[in-house]
Amino acid sequence: AKNGGRNQLELYHEKMHHNGSRQMKLATFLRKAIEKNELFLVYHPIVDVQTNKIISVEALVRWKQDQFGLIPPSEFIPIAEESGLIIPISEWIIQKACEDLQTIHLQGYSNLRMSINISALHFSQEYFVKSINDIFQKTNANTNYIDFELTESMIMPNAHETVNKLVKLKKLGVKLLIDDFGTGYSSLSYLNRFPLDILKIDQSFINGLSSYEDDCSIVEAIITMAHRLHLKVVAEGVENKKQLNFLQNEKCDYIQGYYISKPLPIHELLSFFTSWETE
Ligand code: C2E
Ligand code: CA
Ligand code: CA
Ligand code: CA
């Protein structure tokens, strides 16, 4: 037989064992990733639809491990969240992004914003706001140019506690963005209860723009609703001109996606800026 006579169940167990040991090894290696300098950030440009200028970049973490090579964040962030390792990693990411924002500003792109993904576990800590403030103090960050990307599932539980936390965060000067909008909670009541500034429409809806009429209606509705609530809108995962044209017509504020660029390391980002007008 094709599988050397092994049945489906045996193959399944083999696969689970394989995955289990990969996951366990990654968890072990992850513990040393910061001190071994294996983590780095890449930056994904965000463009103003009306002016076509780059107004912001999103920091995205990468892990290059000796044996396993480049491990995607979709694989190691969940491992880091489970083990608690995400907290030092998240602090490292935020600090590095603040430092790189200084570098970008010093290069003359002084209006550029930095968008930073926040980990669920880090956000849920009581000392979250203090740890953010400590990083801002340490890096002397210009907090008016920083956006935090949160997801619906992070802010929905303990809504009361969350409001306080978000208000405190906003007092530090940052703007707040809801990431992956449309994929989480069905309740929209939080949108005006929380001090939010920006909605980022999940890329699954943007993917569907070229082929699904329903996705067009959903994106249209999200943009209209967001503007009524005085929120700016980012569309993520824009890969072609057709999607851009649709979003332009619908008065979407900002776009992000491979149509503009892939996420870039800081030095490549700076040379990309020289070929594209920035804010
Ligand atoms: P996310 O925050 O929703 O990030 C968007 C993901 O979509 C990124 O993948 C980005 O590279 C990808 N993307 C952007 N535009 C396009 C496009 O046009 N086409 C396609 N196919 N993909 C596009 P990435 O970097 O692999 O990150 C995956 C997820 O891992 C992120 O989703 C976020 O949840 C998490 N993550 C990444 N970096 C960080 C970080 O620094 N901190 C935290 N806490 N989470 C992070
Ligand atoms: Ca994000
Ligand atoms: Ca997203
Ligand atoms: Ca996502």
Side-chain angles (χ1 to χ4, degrees):
K2 233 198 246 152
N3 301 320
R6 288 165 300 165
N7 65 30
Q8 281 306 112
L9 191 67
E10 280 170 323
L11 284 172
Y12 175 77
H13 282 301
E14 218 165 84
K15 187 159 176 268
M16 285 309 286
H17 177 75
H18 177 76
N19 285 341
S21 69
R22 176 181 162 94
Q23 208 172 324
M24 270 157 59
K25 278 187 192 147
L26 289 181
T28 308
F29 288 140
L30 196 53
R31 218 154 283 152
K32 295 263 192 251
I34 294 181
E35 57 187 84
K36 289 178 79 182
N37 252 321
E38 293 174 345
L39 298 179
F40 61 100
L41 297 182
V42 290
Y43 294 100
H44 204 200
I46 299 172
V47 167
D48 184 315
V49 175
Q50 297 307 319
T51 64
N52 202 35
K53 286 180 181 173
I54 299 171
I55 54 124
S56 177
V57 293
E58 177 183 4
L60 295 162
V61 69
R62 297 290 178 260
W63 181 22
K64 194 161 193 291
Q65 209 280 329
D66 280 346
Q67 292 174 38
F68 288 92
L70 205 57
I71 300 148
S74 54
E75 183 172 12
F76 77 82
I77 296 275
I79 296 173
E81 291 267 356
E82 257 172 62
S83 57
L85 283 170
I86 192 68
I87 291 177
I89 291 174
S90 178
E91 289 174 346
W92 180 88
I93 290 168
I94 297 162
Q95 175 160 343
K96 183 73 180 144
C98 288
E99 290 166 0
D100 282 348
L101 180 62
Q102 300 265 37
T103 304
I104 293 168
H105 283 177
L106 285 171
Q107 292 292 313
Y109 306 103
S110 52
N111 285 319
L112 208 93
R113 306 186 63 82
M114 174 68 71
S115 208
I116 307 174
N117 291 286
I118 299 300
S119 129
L121 188 71
H122 190 192
F123 182 77
S124 73
Q125 304 301 306
E126 211 176 321
Y127 61 80
F128 175 71
V129 178
K130 186 189 176 317
S131 81
I132 295 298
N133 195 33
D134 288 349
I135 295 168
F136 285 168
Q137 297 299 320
K138 201 181 341 176
T139 59
N140 197 19
N142 191 342
T143 59
N144 295 315
Y145 289 90
I146 292 172
D147 303 325
F148 281 154
E149 302 204 359
L150 311 162
T151 60
E152 293 170 291
S153 56
M154 284 164 59
I155 64 170
M156 282 310 283
N158 315 315
H160 187 71
E161 246 175 71
T162 305
V163 175
N164 290 335
K165 218 174 249 188
L166 296 181
V167 168
K168 279 187 198 154
L169 273 181
K170 288 227 54 174
K171 283 193 180 139
L172 300 181
V174 301
K175 285 191 177 163
L176 302 178
L177 176 152
I178 292 294
D179 202 356
D180 302 339
F181 185 78
T183 61
Y185 278 73
S186 52
S187 161
L188 295 174
S189 62
Y190 72 91
L191 284 178
N192 53 14
R193 204 151 25 111
F194 295 157
L196 306 171
D197 304 284
I198 309 158
L199 281 195
K200 193 184 276 192
I201 305 175
D202 191 70
Q203 47 185 296
S204 57
F205 299 110
I206 309 303
N207 288 340
L209 284 184
S210 343
S211 17
Y212 302 106
E213 215 176 294
D214 286 352
D215 280 343
C216 295
S217 311
I218 289 171
V219 169
E220 212 182 306
I222 293 174
I223 295 170
T224 305
M225 176 196 66
H227 286 160
R228 289 273 179 88
L229 295 169
H230 309 290
L231 299 165
K232 297 283 190 189
V233 184
V234 189
E236 171 178 68
V238 176
E239 294 186 347
N240 58 54
K241 181 89 180 143
K242 208 173 155 192
Q243 293 164 333
L244 172 59
N245 286 341
F246 177 86
L247 293 161
Q248 215 155 14
N249 275 329
E250 296 303 327
K251 300 282 181 290
C252 182
D253 301 285
Y254 313 117
I255 57 154
Q256 188 180 18
Y258 294 172
Y259 186 64
I260 307 295
S261 162
K262 298 234 168 178
L264 303 167
I266 178 92
H267 49 280
E268 286 176 39
L269 179 76
L270 290 169
S271 44
F272 185 71
F273 284 169
T274 64
S275 68
W276 196 296
E277 230 184 309
T278 57
E279 192 45 66

